[in-house]
Amino acid sequence: MAQPQPRRFAQIVHLKPSAIAAYKECHANVWPEILDKIKECNIIDYSIFFDNDRTLFATFKYTGTDIDADMDKMAALPRMREWWAMTDGMQESPIPGAVSSAEGPGWWKPLEEVFHTD
């Protein structure tokens, strides 16, 4: 049986101008537990881009079969919640009513894919 194609995701959040250097620094030195959990939760090819104004654009592929369960597993890791608290403090969510990456209606705004090539 053939492996299903990975699901592709893209999302945005805004970076506070005062946090640009700190955000880039923490992502240049991501905690190993964070990288391990991302991989364990079936996320590959994860990238974050900055438009040098205020928008962060993230893209990744999900290779698992139950993204909700994998995201719950990710959120259950105390070190991940610590990472999110740190990085959320550097960001402003475009989602109305957003509380944090760990709770609420979401933090990063999902984007609709309108085109891609293989």
Side-chain angles (χ1 to χ4, degrees):
M1 188 167 150
Q3 284 286 91
Q5 286 289 97
R7 289 177 55 198
R8 299 156 42 94
F9 290 84
Q11 49 194 191
I12 61 168
V13 75
H14 301 299
L15 187 58
K16 293 177 182 176
S18 61
I20 294 169
Y23 192 83
K24 288 180 178 182
E25 176 64 26
C26 74
H27 282 83
N29 299 289
V30 178
W31 305 335
E33 308 94 314
I34 302 305
L35 297 175
D36 291 344
K37 185 55 80 172
I38 288 170
K39 185 176 181 179
E40 179 187 324
C41 292
N42 299 301
I43 292 174
I44 62 168
D45 198 16
Y46 186 20
S47 298
I48 299 174
F49 298 87
F50 180 52
D51 75 352
N52 292 312
D53 180 22
R54 66 181 305 241
T55 302
L56 292 168
F57 167 76
T59 182
F60 62 90
K61 294 176 184 172
Y62 177 72
T63 61
T65 58
D66 188 343
I67 193 164
D68 292 330
D70 278 330
M71 295 305 101
D72 288 346
K73 184 169 39 172
M74 189 176 292
L77 180 69
R79 193 74 161 144
M80 183 65 73
R81 294 175 74 88
E82 184 181 346
W83 177 265
W84 287 342
M86 177 183 65
T87 58
D88 285 359
M90 300 178 196
Q91 303 165 344
E92 296 171 342
S93 176
I95 304 290
V99 177
S100 73
S101 291
E103 60 182 291
W107 188 252
W108 287 67
K109 179 181 179 180
L111 302 178
E112 176 187 3
E113 182 177 67
V114 296
F115 176 79
H116 85 273
T117 65
D118 289 330

